Amino acid sequence: MDLNNKIEKIGIVFAMKGEALATIHHFNLERINGNYPVELYGNAENKIVVSLNGTCSFTGVDNVGTQAATLNTYVLINEVNPDIVINAGTAGGFAHSGAKIGDVYIGTNRVVYHDRRIPLPKFDEYGIGNYGLINTDYLAKQIGIKQGIISTGNSLDYVDRDLQLMKMSNASLKDMEAASVAWVCQLLNKAFIPIKSVTDMVDGGIPTEVEFKANFNLATKNLNLKLIQLIDFIYQKTMEEIVSPEK
Ligand code: ADE
């Protein structure tokens, strides 16, 4: 996107419907077409479109994880062509990096994977991913949220090697979608921002699924408040204005 063009269309990728409902209601979004399992919700002229991974036809649960998020992001961009893509959702946080339950983070630096372990020359690097996102320093200050590196994998829990890789990447957050959304944005040349709220502490000693369920409502409420603030702030601004306004 040209740095001087205004952001007129915003696409927001969510994995779970429960994470997205408050934003869908706030902007009065209605179901528009969406192929495959992907569900698109838009307002007039699709200025703001929420795109869900959709549900699994066998189990009825949300299609969480990277394969559905990749498809979701592709369908969103193909059908709506937003100026910018936000990936919103919940994540595990690392106490050692200062994360607390209910905190909302905007991504910074790069987005990486921790469960694509391929110990072959160059493939090891490929596995980590290291995808780009926009500079979020100014946005973090304006919205009043923390910044952190997000690491993505396909499991809610982790094995020791995942933890080592997340430490090596300096991750503050562990999620199941951001890197795959970032990859599609990189391929299709779309600006990308991840925003995540913390449901559980990865290094806290309590089983993830227990904390996830206990804190889902709080984290989702905080996520939607900050996401709506973020959307209102970037809408009709130029990339230049949201990335480097001091210049
Ligand atoms: N979403 C919420 N908590 C998570 C965790 N610990 N790992 C991956 N995704 C998550």
Side-chain angles (χ1 to χ4, degrees):
M1 184 189 186
D2 189 311
L3 280 180
N4 298 309
N5 285 352
K6 284 205 166 124
I7 296 170
E8 307 271 10
K9 269 191 183 187
I10 302 174
I12 308 116
V13 170
F14 282 94
M16 300 178 75
K17 195 177 225 161
E19 292 167 336
L21 283 174
T23 297
I24 292 174
H25 291 147
H26 178 85
F27 291 108
N28 289 317
L29 307 184
E30 287 184 4
R31 181 79 193 263
I32 53 176
N33 59 321
N35 287 326
Y36 317 101
V38 176
E39 293 179 26
L40 300 178
Y41 296 81
N43 61 359
E45 296 173 65
N46 292 336
K47 300 287 186 196
I48 296 168
V49 174
V50 161
S51 189
L52 309 181
N53 281 5
T55 48
C56 168
S57 55
F58 298 109
T59 60
V61 302
D62 295 302
N63 288 317
V64 298
T66 62
Q67 87 179 2
T70 302
L71 182 62
N72 184 354
T73 311
Y74 180 77
V75 170
L76 168 71
I77 295 174
N78 208 27
E79 296 205 6
V80 175
N81 194 25
D83 298 315
I84 193 161
V85 174
I86 297 173
N87 172 222
T90 54
F94 285 91
H96 72 72
S97 75
K100 298 201 172 50
I101 301 288
D103 278 354
V104 185
Y105 278 75
I106 197 164
T108 188
N109 197 4
R110 312 291 289 172
V111 190
V112 293
Y113 283 110
H114 54 260
D115 69 350
R116 303 201 315 176
R117 298 178 293 276
I118 317 164
L120 293 168
K122 291 283 176 195
F123 284 94
D124 47 3
E125 199 182 315
Y126 161 81
I128 301 290
N130 251 319
Y131 309 112
L133 65 158
I134 72 165
N135 183 326
T136 57
D137 295 353
Y138 180 66
L139 287 176
K141 279 194 209 121
Q142 288 301 310
I143 312 300
I145 48 181
K146 295 180 173 181
Q147 286 176 291
I149 292 175
I150 302 168
S151 184
T152 298
N154 269 301
S155 297
L156 190 66
D157 66 0
Y158 59 85
V159 295
D160 286 349
R161 183 66 183 142
D162 293 339
L163 204 54
Q164 279 172 3
L165 286 165
M166 286 187 276
K167 282 194 179 143
M168 278 165 63
S169 298
N170 238 334
S172 298
L173 298 177
K174 169 179 177 285
D175 89 329
M176 296 176 70
E177 285 87 21
S180 53
V181 180
W183 178 63
V184 181
C185 288
Q186 187 164 298
L187 290 177
L188 301 181
N189 212 8
K190 292 288 171 195
F192 173 62
I193 308 176
I195 178 168
K196 302 273 157 169
S197 62
V198 176
T199 48
D200 52 273
M201 303 314 303
V202 180
D203 49 355
I206 301 172
T208 307
E209 62 280 14
V210 173
E211 268 194 312
F212 176 80
K213 281 193 250 170
N215 299 314
F216 183 80
N217 287 347
L218 168 74
T220 299
K221 182 169 156 250
N222 294 353
L223 171 70
N224 279 271
L225 285 173
K226 290 298 175 184
L227 173 63
I228 290 163
Q229 240 179 292
L230 173 67
I231 293 169
D232 287 341
F233 185 75
I234 65 174
Y235 188 63
Q236 295 286 352
K237 289 209 173 62
T238 65
M239 283 298 290
E240 173 87 28
E241 283 169 333
I242 68 167
V243 169
S244 49
E246 267 88 47
K247 273 197 215 143

